[in-house]
Amino acid sequence: MRRREFIRLFGGAAAAWSVAARAQSAGPMPVIGLLTLADLPEWAISAIRAGLDEAGFVEGRNLTIVVRSAEGQFDRLPALAADLAESKVNVILATGSPVPARAAKAATTRIPIVFAYGGDPIADGLVDSLNQPGGNVTGATFMGSELLAKRMELLRQIVPQATDVALLVNPKGTLAERQVRDGNAAAQTLGQRLHVLNTSTQSEIDAAFATMSQLKVGAFVVSTDPFFGFVGRDRLVMQARSSKIPGIYNGRDELGTTGLVSYGPKLPETWRQAGLYVGRILRGEKPSDLPVMRPTRFEMIINLKTAKELELTIPPTLLGLADEVIE
């Protein structure tokens, strides 16, 4: 999504504050500070709005949303978080990775913070526990890393001849070590050789696919990390199609229109839950009393057009289990 479209969907920051100022005569209108690593896709924006609506809040009617996007630049997040804290918004909704939420937590201990991302909020230092978050932070998360072995098993069914498989990992992520461990265990069970390729920048994505070609890797698995869902998403799908190496992704957004297969939580649910929590906090509930929400619904998407380009035959059993088949 272009930045202009993102701002249009959620309203520009200056316009938002103008609306808030005009609303003072009719009573205070709560203000949400939306802190993002990168511009959110439209489905995430719609899901947040759905959660807010469920709690009785509609932007422009009884709610103002101020957007602060780091546009993929992590080093901008502390200043953006501090700006929201100084503006005294009612709630900060931090999304895209654990970094926006950590930046917000460092900026304020008073303003409630709700996160929405894929990862482990305990390991990321955001909450004390999932059931009793403590402090001023709670939210919704999907720990897609728990599904890594399942993804590798599905990929094996689609590409049974692949004995060498690559695992793309962001070594800077908090889930990296666990996923490498789980990936190696799964590969051993499946009789495969796993090649762990570090990819934390777009240039490293290019290098990873060059390495896969050199090693004659038969398939790849994308580990769970915000980098692959936001900053590196387009380059990842482009390189996969160019190299003609089949891969499995974490979810619909990573898969795009040309990825082969994805399996993971229904991501809009995570953002809807976060929006609902923001609304509940605006109505008086405390973050410390709201347990971290986790997904209960998962989906598999298979792209038959891509499978045909890769000369792969998808087993009928998988097609029958798929939630969506792209033809």
Side-chain angles (χ1 to χ4, degrees):
M1 179 184 296
R2 293 187 180 92
R3 174 157 179 79
R4 181 179 299 175
E5 294 172 337
F6 180 64
I7 293 298
R8 175 177 57 78
L9 284 168
F10 255 139
W17 281 117
S18 176
V19 171
R22 290 198 304 270
Q24 294 304 312
S25 59
M29 181 182 289
V31 179
I32 297 173
L34 178 61
L35 180 64
T36 71
L37 171 60
D39 296 349
L40 295 180
E42 190 168 350
W43 62 259
I45 295 171
S46 297
I48 292 171
R49 282 178 165 157
L52 288 167
D53 182 67
E54 191 174 334
F57 291 94
V58 178
E59 183 185 11
R61 183 195 303 166
N62 59 354
L63 178 70
T64 295
I65 299 176
V66 176
V67 179
R68 296 289 186 273
S69 172
E71 300 180 327
Q73 301 177 49
F74 286 92
D75 58 352
R76 293 186 58 195
L77 286 166
L80 294 174
D83 177 56
L84 289 175
E86 292 169 4
S87 299
K88 298 181 180 179
V89 297
N90 297 91
V91 182
I92 295 176
L93 175 55
T95 76
S97 91
V99 185
R102 283 203 296 257
K105 186 177 181 180
T108 178
T109 58
R110 180 185 60 83
I111 299 173
I113 299 165
V114 176
F115 56 75
Y117 76 102
D120 184 346
I122 299 176
D124 290 329
L126 297 175
V127 298
D128 297 331
S129 74
L130 298 180
N131 290 330
Q132 296 179 315
N136 64 322
V137 184
T138 189
T141 186
F142 56 94
M143 292 189 220
S145 61
E146 298 173 341
L147 303 174
L148 180 61
K150 177 66 174 178
R151 291 193 189 98
M152 292 180 65
E153 179 186 338
L154 290 171
L155 191 60
R156 180 61 187 272
Q157 292 182 56
I158 296 173
V159 197
Q161 71 275 19
T163 55
D164 285 83
V165 175
L167 176 64
L168 303 184
V169 175
N170 178 6
K172 300 177 182 178
T174 55
L175 297 174
E177 184 177 345
R178 172 181 176 177
Q179 292 184 92
V180 170
R181 183 178 66 247
D182 292 350
N184 279 316
Q188 186 174 8
T189 299
L190 296 169
Q192 297 173 323
R193 287 183 294 272
L194 188 70
H195 303 270
V196 178
L197 303 178
N198 290 335
T199 43
S200 60
T201 65
Q202 296 202 34
S203 61
E204 286 181 344
I205 289 178
D206 298 340
F209 277 92
T211 299
M212 281 190 257
S213 297
Q214 292 171 2
L215 296 175
K216 300 188 183 305
V217 165
F220 70 89
V221 183
V222 181
S223 67
T224 298
D225 189 271
F227 169 74
F228 299 113
F230 289 90
V231 181
R233 176 183 57 207
D234 294 340
R235 182 68 64 90
L236 178 61
V237 173
M238 181 192 72
Q239 283 287 9
R241 188 175 191 183
S242 175
S243 64
K244 296 188 179 301
I245 301 175
I248 187 165
Y249 303 80
N250 290 275
R252 179 185 301 272
D253 204 42
E254 283 184 16
L255 185 70
T257 58
T258 60
L260 175 62
V261 59
S262 69
Y263 180 75
K266 291 192 173 183
L267 298 185
E269 185 67 10
T270 296
W271 270 257
R272 184 197 66 80
Q273 290 170 338
L276 177 59
Y277 264 14
V278 169
R280 290 175 63 176
I281 290 171
L282 289 175
R283 293 202 173 280
E285 295 189 60
K286 297 179 180 179
S288 57
D289 295 333
L290 298 173
V292 174
M293 297 293 289
R294 299 176 65 189
T296 57
R297 301 166 62 194
F298 304 87
E299 65 178 356
M300 177 168 58
I301 303 172
I302 297 174
N303 191 323
L304 281 183
K305 182 179 179 181
T306 299
K308 184 177 180 179
E309 291 178 358
L310 295 172
E311 300 181 350
L312 295 173
T313 300
I314 306 296
T317 51
L318 286 187
L319 289 175
L321 292 172
D323 296 270
E324 181 179 342
V325 176
I326 301 172
E327 307 206 43

